[in-house]
Amino acid sequence: MTNMNQSPRSAVLAACMLLLLFSACLPCLAQASANPEGSWQGALGAGTVKLRLVLTFTKSAAGEYKGTMDSVDQGATIPADKITLNGDKLRVDFERVNGFYEGTFNKDGSEISGTWTQNSIPQPLVFKRSQAGSATKEATKPATAEKPFTAPIDVVVPIAPIAFQADSKTHLVYELHIANFSMQNITLARIEVLGDSGNTLAHLDQSDLLANVLVIGNYQAAGMDKLSLAPGQMTNVYMWVTLDSPAKVPAAIEHKITVKAGKNQDEITAQCARITVGQDLATIAAPLRGDNWLAGNGPSNSSGHRRALIPVDGRARIAQRFAIDWVRLNADGKTFTGDAKDNKNYRAYGSEALAVADGIVTEIKDGITENVPGANSRAVPITLETVGGNHVILDIGHGRYAFYAHLQPGSLKVKVGDHVKRGQVLGLVGNSGNSTEPHLHFHLSDANSPLGSEGIPYALESFDAKTKKDAAVTKHRMEIPAENEVVTFAEK
């Protein structure tokens, strides 16, 4: 299952670029003379094994730089935390992958020579300035690109957002599918989310869009080219709107989408894609017991689960939109002791997976051999049948289904058709299917299918959580845990 298997501590260190996204910027220093704006292409590695990278900078009217790094071969985008520009010296920090780039501009500003450092390991890396449109095919663009009389886009919200609480805030999470209906290339300029009275709830400029778009059919699009849509092409925009309080949740939302088109790249805006906001949120009990459960790849607009847009049975869905990989930490912050290749050495292994509500068992899978822990170790070929490993699906009513994945073979306590009670043991946490180490993958969706369904949010009745090892523990009620929170569930 796409990114279902990654525990964040090991996954972040496993590759140079991952789908861990977040935004930050730093005002340009007054003495800075180099101009980083635009896209820069480079390659990390030596010989035939190279990782193609695109570094892109934009600058706001206030003079603030924002940046993203695209790993073209991995389909990953990582926005920068911090950008420091001092004369011809540049430093860009990407804290979530524990890396940073330091380089020096050449005299004509066409090249940056420097070093990429990740996990204290430096590697030489040179970026060269890209020409506009270098990564996008222009052959389909007509010779006479006149300004359309209306924004030539078709916009669809595939599933309406349901308001939910996380990290003591209120959120709306959904996607926009934007298709180019013209005969020329268009460029996304910005998106504004409007509330009931036309008030602005969120504003995405090009810097924000660069970190939150997926160009369908061109997954290697990078830099500013990610915002350019060829005729007939569609892009998916991952939307995450945060509100001040539950009282601010609108009955419906609408969107003002601005694109650039025509030979002069004139801006055209469409007010469109009005959708009702749902507030019928499922309330569930905890799927596990005990302390130090890390919400790996949990709800955020950057997690691998959030980005897992997968076509199944003729429709692209995000079943894992709010999924969590629950790994259990020891006091030292590690998930295991002793031999890392032994499943039994992982603290999560053998924990009881619990029914989060009364329900009926609608699907089980058992008998799949467990993996040896490791990034590329799989005991069986991964298919739609085996991706979740040994698993249980529970119909908890109102069109909601709870999915428990990667259980130990032979540990399932239920069969199809069983009526179960909240808190009942369904099976034991294991390491089967598309999994790198013992953990419980859990999510709610709207259909009886691990991937052929839409992921829906929920509210846990209560849990304690902290965001860092030494942070204070806070109590949460009627919320969903956020990505990488360390959670304690009640023992009974």
Side-chain angles (χ1 to χ4, degrees), residues 3 5-20 44 49 51 71 74 76 78 96-99 116 118-119 121 123 297 374-378 436-437:
N3 284 312
N5 55 310
Q6 296 177 352
S7 64
R9 311 250 173 188
S10 58
V12 165
L13 303 180
C16 178
M17 304 297 160
L18 291 177
L19 290 172
L20 297 172
L44 191 66
V49 182
L51 192 67
S71 177
Q74 294 176 317
I78 307 175
R96 287 287 292 275
V97 294
N98 197 27
W116 166 258
Q118 187 174 22
N119 301 323
I121 301 174
Q123 298 183 68
N297 295 317
N376 300 308
S377 175
R378 301 295 183 273
T436 58
E437 69 173 79

Side-chain angles (χ1 to χ4, degrees), residues 65-96:
Y65 282 114
K66 291 184 179 181
T68 58
M69 184 180 286
D70 289 285
S71 177
V72 177
D73 300 299
Q74 294 176 317
T77 301
I78 307 175
D81 284 285
K82 183 178 180 182
I83 300 169
T84 305
L85 184 61
N86 187 2
D88 62 354
K89 306 294 183 184
L90 173 72
R91 173 168 171 143
V92 190
D93 289 87
F94 303 89
E95 293 177 3
R96 287 287 292 275

Side-chain angles (χ1 to χ4, degrees), residues 49-64:
V49 182
K50 291 186 177 182
L51 192 67
R52 291 176 294 166
L53 304 175
V54 176
L55 193 60
T56 303
F57 299 99
T58 58
K59 188 178 182 181
S60 70
E64 295 180 334

Side-chain angles (χ1 to χ4, degrees), residues 270-287:
Q271 188 159 326
C272 56
R274 183 176 178 83
I275 193 78
T276 300
V277 175
Q279 298 200 47
D280 183 18
L281 191 67
T283 300
I284 64 172

